[in-house]
Amino acid sequence: MKLNTEVSDVKTLDHGAPQRSRTSQMKRTRAANQKVPKWAYLLFIILAGFVTYRLLQHRAAEIKTAQPPARPVTVAKAITKDVPVYLDEIGTCAAYETVQVQAQVSGKIIERLFQDGSDVKKGDPLFTIDPRPYQAALDQAKAQAALDQTTLKRQEDLRTRKVISQQDYDTAVANAQKSQAAAEAAQVNLDYCYIKSPINGRVGLRNVDVGNLVGPSTPPLVTIQGLDPIYTDFTVAENDLPLVRKYLGGPNVKVDTYLADGSITPRMGDLYFIDNAVQPGSGTVKVRGVTANADRALWPSEFVLVRFILDMLKNATLVPSQAVQVSQSGTLVFVVKPDNTVELRAVKPGQRQDGDLVVVESGVKPGETVVVTGQLALSPGAKVAPQPYAAETSGTLQSRQIGTSKSPTSYE
């Protein structure tokens, strides 16, 4: 029984070997029949490259979408210009000359020859005091002077003949001189009856009318003020005195006077006077300028704005004042680079100037572009979409920091 089993196993092994051989042969035959062509590999590579490109393109779009858009800002270029070093003050005008016309002789006013508030020139008649008493006194003095002159000539003839004494001759000389002086005094009193303007100016409201009795002790008849040129009085704080003394006496020291409402063109005048002491109560120093006023646009006691110009800065760098930002770390500006990204820079600002400009002493070079508006949305390196800045200057002269031009000024 055991022998049969072994024989059966051998048969089974003998039959299995050919079966496996046939299976392997069939697989090799199928693999040979199913060989992939080369164009399929090429197609696969192209498809794989296209898919990779699309994925990269999508990724780039996502990155671009994630970046913030360019910020809209207005920009201006730093410019160079000669600008003043100045102090802005408030002052008042004062008449260049003030004369209170007073009667020099007593008498009744018989004529008024001017209109209240009119302009007069030196020598124009104003009042006439009754001249008859003074004319009579002059005639009497002239008659006495003529008599004394005749007496003197007679005494000279007698003296040449040695008929009179020296004392009589000296008395005749003295009497002639005295009578001549009396005649001249009478002429002066008569001239005082015709009151004339002593200066060029404008008369005020008269204090007397025709028929009033006036004299040296009565109040002034009228006041005349000279308005061309005119003084500008103002004060300088003692804290500014070192700066004033630095430039005092220089060729560029000027006093610029103008009205707050901008109704007149600012008028450049000269420094006339600066006080020699600080006022104890106010801590200020009195200063006076003198300015031409041919059109009478400035009036005495009128409040005015004054720019006390001390010197001129040559080729100063200026930017719009809005471009300068103040932070805890100091004053800063955003500078636009050629690739439209911004750079944050620390600057040292100077005085503000007309036309909404401010001097930049350091930090910005002429020709560089700075951001004027839109700084709140910026950070260093941010992309911007710049637009030219246009500043409208004020039509009033409430502050000379705003300027005098009424038309907009463009900075490109």
Tab-separated table of all heavy atoms in Angstrom, residues 16-48:
chain	number	residue	atom	x	y	z
A	16	GLY	N	3.067	17.719	-13.106
A	16	GLY	CA	3.035	19.178	-12.734
A	16	GLY	C	4.087	19.973	-13.425
A	16	GLY	O	3.895	21.115	-13.760
A	17	ALA	N	5.254	19.438	-13.671
A	17	ALA	CA	6.338	20.215	-14.271
A	17	ALA	C	5.998	20.713	-15.653
A	17	ALA	O	6.177	21.883	-15.971
A	17	ALA	CB	7.602	19.356	-14.293
A	18	PRO	N	5.494	19.897	-16.509
A	18	PRO	CA	5.106	20.402	-17.830
A	18	PRO	C	4.024	21.457	-17.757
A	18	PRO	O	3.975	22.383	-18.555
A	18	PRO	CB	4.639	19.150	-18.561
A	18	PRO	CG	5.296	18.042	-17.840
A	18	PRO	CD	5.411	18.419	-16.421
A	19	GLN	N	3.137	21.372	-16.763
A	19	GLN	CA	2.037	22.358	-16.659
A	19	GLN	C	2.590	23.742	-16.363
A	19	GLN	O	2.169	24.735	-16.936
A	19	GLN	CB	1.073	21.915	-15.548
A	19	GLN	CG	-0.133	22.832	-15.392
A	19	GLN	CD	-1.052	22.779	-16.588
A	19	GLN	OE1	-1.133	21.727	-17.281
A	19	GLN	NE2	-1.708	23.867	-16.880
A	20	ARG	N	3.559	23.883	-15.435
A	20	ARG	CA	4.145	25.187	-15.089
A	20	ARG	C	4.909	25.741	-16.275
A	20	ARG	O	4.931	26.924	-16.535
A	20	ARG	CB	5.083	25.044	-13.874
A	20	ARG	CG	4.310	24.905	-12.549
A	20	ARG	CD	5.252	25.100	-11.399
A	20	ARG	NE	6.330	24.108	-11.386
A	20	ARG	CZ	6.236	22.923	-10.777
A	20	ARG	NH1	5.129	22.580	-10.139
A	20	ARG	NH2	7.257	22.070	-10.818
A	21	SER	N	5.539	24.911	-17.017
A	21	SER	CA	6.289	25.353	-18.186
A	21	SER	C	5.388	25.958	-19.220
A	21	SER	O	5.691	26.973	-19.825
A	21	SER	CB	7.073	24.167	-18.768
A	21	SER	OG	7.770	24.572	-19.930
A	22	ARG	N	4.256	25.352	-19.395
A	22	ARG	CA	3.313	25.890	-20.380
A	22	ARG	C	2.765	27.250	-19.928
A	22	ARG	O	2.556	28.158	-20.738
A	22	ARG	CB	2.156	24.876	-20.590
A	22	ARG	CG	2.572	23.654	-21.439
A	22	ARG	CD	1.335	22.896	-21.868
A	22	ARG	NE	0.598	22.410	-20.750
A	22	ARG	CZ	0.791	21.202	-20.187
A	22	ARG	NH1	1.752	20.407	-20.637
A	22	ARG	NH2	0.059	20.816	-19.167
A	23	THR	N	2.537	27.415	-18.619
A	23	THR	CA	1.999	28.693	-18.103
A	23	THR	C	3.005	29.829	-18.322
A	23	THR	O	2.662	30.927	-18.752
A	23	THR	CB	1.683	28.582	-16.614
A	23	THR	OG1	0.746	27.516	-16.436
A	23	THR	CG2	1.100	29.864	-16.072
A	24	SER	N	4.265	29.550	-18.038
A	24	SER	CA	5.293	30.581	-18.237
A	24	SER	C	5.425	30.946	-19.688
A	24	SER	O	5.612	32.119	-20.061
A	24	SER	CB	6.649	30.091	-17.707
A	24	SER	OG	6.549	29.841	-16.319
A	25	GLN	N	5.309	29.966	-20.543
A	25	GLN	CA	5.397	30.232	-21.975
A	25	GLN	C	4.271	31.103	-22.445
A	25	GLN	O	4.444	32.017	-23.253
A	25	GLN	CB	5.398	28.878	-22.734
A	25	GLN	CG	5.609	29.036	-24.227
A	25	GLN	CD	6.992	29.549	-24.575
A	25	GLN	OE1	7.936	29.344	-23.816
A	25	GLN	NE2	7.118	30.237	-25.688
A	26	MET	N	3.093	30.870	-21.902
A	26	MET	CA	1.911	31.668	-22.303
A	26	MET	C	2.080	33.130	-21.836
A	26	MET	O	1.723	34.060	-22.551
A	26	MET	CB	0.639	31.051	-21.706
A	26	MET	CG	0.270	29.695	-22.352
A	26	MET	SD	-1.140	28.945	-21.539
A	26	MET	CE	-2.367	30.137	-21.904
A	27	LYS	N	2.648	33.306	-20.626
A	27	LYS	CA	2.836	34.685	-20.121
A	27	LYS	C	3.838	35.439	-20.982
A	27	LYS	O	3.650	36.599	-21.292
A	27	LYS	CB	3.320	34.660	-18.686
A	27	LYS	CG	2.229	34.226	-17.712
A	27	LYS	CD	2.758	34.246	-16.293
A	27	LYS	CE	1.677	33.863	-15.291
A	27	LYS	NZ	2.173	33.877	-13.898
A	28	ARG	N	4.909	34.726	-21.389
A	28	ARG	CA	5.904	35.399	-22.214
A	28	ARG	C	5.313	35.760	-23.570
A	28	ARG	O	5.612	36.804	-24.145
A	28	ARG	CB	7.133	34.499	-22.388
A	28	ARG	CG	7.996	34.453	-21.115
A	28	ARG	CD	9.360	33.838	-21.436
A	28	ARG	NE	9.234	32.463	-21.875
A	28	ARG	CZ	9.265	31.404	-21.070
A	28	ARG	NH1	9.390	31.580	-19.770
A	28	ARG	NH2	9.154	30.177	-21.557
A	29	THR	N	4.468	34.916	-24.043
A	29	THR	CA	3.843	35.197	-25.337
A	29	THR	C	2.933	36.427	-25.257
A	29	THR	O	2.912	37.287	-26.121
A	29	THR	CB	3.055	33.970	-25.827
A	29	THR	OG1	3.951	32.860	-25.887
A	29	THR	CG2	2.434	34.198	-27.172
A	30	ARG	N	2.131	36.483	-24.132
A	30	ARG	CA	1.237	37.639	-23.966
A	30	ARG	C	2.035	38.921	-23.792
A	30	ARG	O	1.674	39.964	-24.307
A	30	ARG	CB	0.333	37.423	-22.753
A	30	ARG	CG	-1.066	36.906	-23.154
A	30	ARG	CD	-2.050	37.042	-22.033
A	30	ARG	NE	-1.549	36.656	-20.740
A	30	ARG	CZ	-1.635	35.419	-20.238
A	30	ARG	NH1	-2.203	34.461	-20.943
A	30	ARG	NH2	-1.154	35.160	-19.045
A	31	ALA	N	3.142	38.878	-23.008
A	31	ALA	CA	3.951	40.094	-22.788
A	31	ALA	C	4.543	40.595	-24.085
A	31	ALA	O	4.625	41.790	-24.340
A	31	ALA	CB	5.067	39.802	-21.783
A	32	ALA	N	4.939	39.623	-24.939
A	32	ALA	CA	5.485	40.042	-26.231
A	32	ALA	C	4.431	40.659	-27.101
A	32	ALA	O	4.694	41.597	-27.851
A	32	ALA	CB	6.122	38.827	-26.921
A	33	ASN	N	3.218	40.126	-27.010
A	33	ASN	CA	2.133	40.687	-27.823
A	33	ASN	C	1.689	42.063	-27.324
A	33	ASN	O	1.149	42.847	-28.091
A	33	ASN	CB	0.950	39.719	-27.854
A	33	ASN	CG	1.306	38.418	-28.580
A	33	ASN	OD1	2.181	38.418	-29.448
A	33	ASN	ND2	0.637	37.332	-28.233
A	34	GLN	N	1.855	42.369	-25.959
A	34	GLN	CA	1.369	43.626	-25.364
A	34	GLN	C	2.500	44.660	-25.184
A	34	GLN	O	2.443	45.510	-24.331
A	34	GLN	CB	0.727	43.347	-24.012
A	34	GLN	CG	-0.532	42.505	-24.116
A	34	GLN	CD	-1.115	42.196	-22.750
A	34	GLN	OE1	-0.548	42.570	-21.741
A	34	GLN	NE2	-2.258	41.534	-22.755
A	35	LYS	N	3.547	44.689	-25.906
A	35	LYS	CA	4.660	45.663	-25.793
A	35	LYS	C	4.183	47.070	-26.140
A	35	LYS	O	3.531	47.269	-27.155
A	35	LYS	CB	5.775	45.237	-26.745
A	35	LYS	CG	7.024	46.096	-26.619
A	35	LYS	CD	8.116	45.568	-27.531
A	35	LYS	CE	9.359	46.423	-27.368
A	35	LYS	NZ	10.453	45.945	-28.248
A	36	VAL	N	4.492	48.157	-25.219
A	36	VAL	CA	4.017	49.555	-25.380
A	36	VAL	C	4.842	50.244	-26.440
A	36	VAL	O	6.077	50.218	-26.392
A	36	VAL	CB	4.117	50.329	-24.054
A	36	VAL	CG1	3.642	51.771	-24.243
A	36	VAL	CG2	3.312	49.622	-22.973
A	37	PRO	N	4.204	50.943	-27.370
A	37	PRO	CA	4.962	51.645	-28.402
A	37	PRO	C	5.635	52.902	-27.847
A	37	PRO	O	5.224	53.458	-26.827
A	37	PRO	CB	3.902	51.990	-29.437
A	37	PRO	CG	2.632	52.047	-28.685
A	37	PRO	CD	2.745	51.011	-27.605
A	38	LYS	N	6.624	53.459	-28.570
A	38	LYS	CA	7.379	54.644	-28.118
A	38	LYS	C	6.534	55.905	-28.100
A	38	LYS	O	6.705	56.781	-27.256
A	38	LYS	CB	8.584	54.848	-29.037
A	38	LYS	CG	9.611	53.750	-28.905
A	38	LYS	CD	10.793	54.028	-29.819
A	38	LYS	CE	11.861	52.941	-29.675
A	38	LYS	NZ	13.011	53.222	-30.551
A	39	TRP	N	5.613	56.006	-29.063
A	39	TRP	CA	4.808	57.242	-29.097
A	39	TRP	C	3.938	57.383	-27.857
A	39	TRP	O	3.587	58.477	-27.435
A	39	TRP	CB	3.951	57.284	-30.351
A	39	TRP	CG	2.961	56.146	-30.456
A	39	TRP	CD1	3.134	54.964	-31.089
A	39	TRP	CD2	1.652	56.111	-29.885
A	39	TRP	NE1	2.037	54.176	-30.985
A	39	TRP	CE2	1.077	54.870	-30.227
A	39	TRP	CE3	0.898	57.017	-29.132
A	39	TRP	CZ2	-0.203	54.513	-29.824
A	39	TRP	CZ3	-0.371	56.649	-28.765
A	39	TRP	CH2	-0.921	55.398	-29.096
A	40	ALA	N	3.600	56.219	-27.221
A	40	ALA	CA	2.798	56.283	-25.996
A	40	ALA	C	3.605	56.917	-24.869
A	40	ALA	O	3.099	57.707	-24.061
A	40	ALA	CB	2.318	54.900	-25.611
A	41	TYR	N	4.913	56.545	-24.828
A	41	TYR	CA	5.772	57.189	-23.809
A	41	TYR	C	5.858	58.692	-24.031
A	41	TYR	O	5.820	59.508	-23.097
A	41	TYR	CB	7.170	56.589	-23.854
A	41	TYR	CG	7.244	55.183	-23.295
A	41	TYR	CD1	7.401	54.091	-24.132
A	41	TYR	CD2	7.138	54.969	-21.911
A	41	TYR	CE1	7.469	52.807	-23.615
A	41	TYR	CE2	7.206	53.678	-21.405
A	41	TYR	CZ	7.370	52.599	-22.249
A	41	TYR	OH	7.437	51.339	-21.741
A	42	LEU	N	6.002	59.099	-25.290
A	42	LEU	CA	6.091	60.532	-25.612
A	42	LEU	C	4.820	61.272	-25.217
A	42	LEU	O	4.858	62.374	-24.660
A	42	LEU	CB	6.365	60.698	-27.106
A	42	LEU	CG	6.514	62.135	-27.605
A	42	LEU	CD1	7.672	62.825	-26.896
A	42	LEU	CD2	6.718	62.161	-29.108
A	43	LEU	N	3.679	60.634	-25.504
A	43	LEU	CA	2.402	61.252	-25.134
A	43	LEU	C	2.291	61.398	-23.629
A	43	LEU	O	1.801	62.416	-23.107
A	43	LEU	CB	1.255	60.417	-25.694
A	43	LEU	CG	-0.153	60.914	-25.363
A	43	LEU	CD1	-0.361	62.309	-25.957
A	43	LEU	CD2	-1.195	59.942	-25.914
A	44	PHE	N	2.762	60.362	-22.918
A	44	PHE	CA	2.706	60.411	-21.457
A	44	PHE	C	3.554	61.573	-20.913
A	44	PHE	O	3.138	62.301	-20.012
A	44	PHE	CB	3.178	59.075	-20.886
A	44	PHE	CG	3.251	59.074	-19.399
A	44	PHE	CD1	2.102	58.965	-18.619
A	44	PHE	CD2	4.474	59.199	-18.741
A	44	PHE	CE1	2.184	58.965	-17.238
A	44	PHE	CE2	4.549	59.210	-17.368
A	44	PHE	CZ	3.385	59.085	-16.611
A	45	ILE	N	4.742	61.748	-21.500
A	45	ILE	CA	5.622	62.830	-21.036
A	45	ILE	C	4.991	64.196	-21.296
A	45	ILE	O	5.038	65.109	-20.470
A	45	ILE	CB	6.986	62.714	-21.725
A	45	ILE	CG1	7.700	61.430	-21.252
A	45	ILE	CG2	7.842	63.943	-21.438
A	45	ILE	CD1	8.969	61.131	-22.007
A	46	ILE	N	4.381	64.354	-22.484
A	46	ILE	CA	3.735	65.644	-22.814
A	46	ILE	C	2.604	65.935	-21.852
A	46	ILE	O	2.450	67.060	-21.351
A	46	ILE	CB	3.238	65.620	-24.265
A	46	ILE	CG1	4.445	65.575	-25.222
A	46	ILE	CG2	2.382	66.835	-24.554
A	46	ILE	CD1	4.066	65.413	-26.671
A	47	LEU	N	1.785	64.917	-21.592
A	47	LEU	CA	0.662	65.111	-20.667
A	47	LEU	C	1.162	65.462	-19.268
A	47	LEU	O	0.604	66.341	-18.587
A	47	LEU	CB	-0.209	63.860	-20.630
A	47	LEU	CG	-1.012	63.570	-21.905
A	47	LEU	CD1	-1.740	62.239	-21.790
A	47	LEU	CD2	-2.007	64.684	-22.178
A	48	ALA	N	2.204	64.785	-18.844
A	48	ALA	CA	2.740	65.070	-17.515
A	48	ALA	C	3.293	66.496	-17.442
A	48	ALA	O	3.096	67.225	-16.452
A	48	ALA	CB	3.841	64.056	-17.172
